[in-house]
Amino acid sequence: QVQLVESGGGSVQAGGSLRLSCAGSGYIYRNYYMMGWFRQAPGKEREGVAVIDSDGSLTYGDAVTGRFTISLDNAKNTLYLQMNSLKPEDTAMYYCVADNRKWWFRPQYVYWGQGTQVTVSS
């Protein structure tokens, strides 16, 4: 069974940092074409945060460019999202996603984690 499991969320003050992790099965990390992170705040639609292509190229949403960094450790089958200079508007549930098709920031990925909550206070 294919699973993605996020961890690393929590509460932090504005300006602080968090690192999210997404552990998955080896199948996903051997066969993905695109992996990434989405987030959803209460009352808002899911928003693409960052994605990594199978060729290693990285794409970031406008709201996080320059503050967040996505990376992949294939040896550990783990996807990361380093979040710096956090703002209250970054508060959301963060989801790890993966697929063998390239959806970029369209929320049509087949595989989703259960989410990890990030709360940033001012």
Side-chain angles (χ1 to χ4, degrees):
Q1 184 177 356
V2 174
Q3 278 190 318
L4 296 171
V5 180
E6 302 97 334
S7 61
S11 297
V12 64
Q13 289 192 325
S17 299
L18 284 173
R19 188 176 80 158
L20 306 184
S21 300
C22 174
S25 66
Y27 172 84
I28 291 177
Y29 289 85
R30 290 192 300 271
N31 293 279
Y32 85 100
Y33 277 12
M34 186 159 282
M35 299 186 69
W37 294 90
F38 277 68
R39 67 185 182 185
Q40 188 168 23
K44 295 187 177 181
E45 295 185 351
R46 285 188 177 181
E47 173 190 20
V49 175
V51 295
I52 179 168
D53 200 325
S54 52
D55 65 5
S57 60
L58 311 177
T59 305
Y60 295 94
D62 291 340
V64 307
T65 297
R67 300 187 297 122
F68 291 11
T69 302
I70 187 172
S71 62
L72 177 63
D73 187 333
N74 280 302
K76 296 182 179 180
N77 290 345
T78 302
L79 182 73
Y80 299 100
L81 184 68
Q82 177 67 45
M83 306 185 294
N84 298 328
S85 302
L86 282 161
K87 304 175 181 180
E89 50 264 44
D90 294 318
T91 295
M93 185 72 78
Y94 283 72
Y95 299 90
C96 173
V97 298
D99 204 329
N100 59 6
R101 288 176 288 182
K102 298 183 181 183
W103 296 112
W104 302 101
F105 288 154
R106 289 174 287 173
Q108 294 172 263
Y109 290 79
V110 170
Y111 302 115
W112 291 75
Q114 83 289 350
T116 186
Q117 178 68 39
V118 172
T119 302
V120 184
S121 58
S122 57

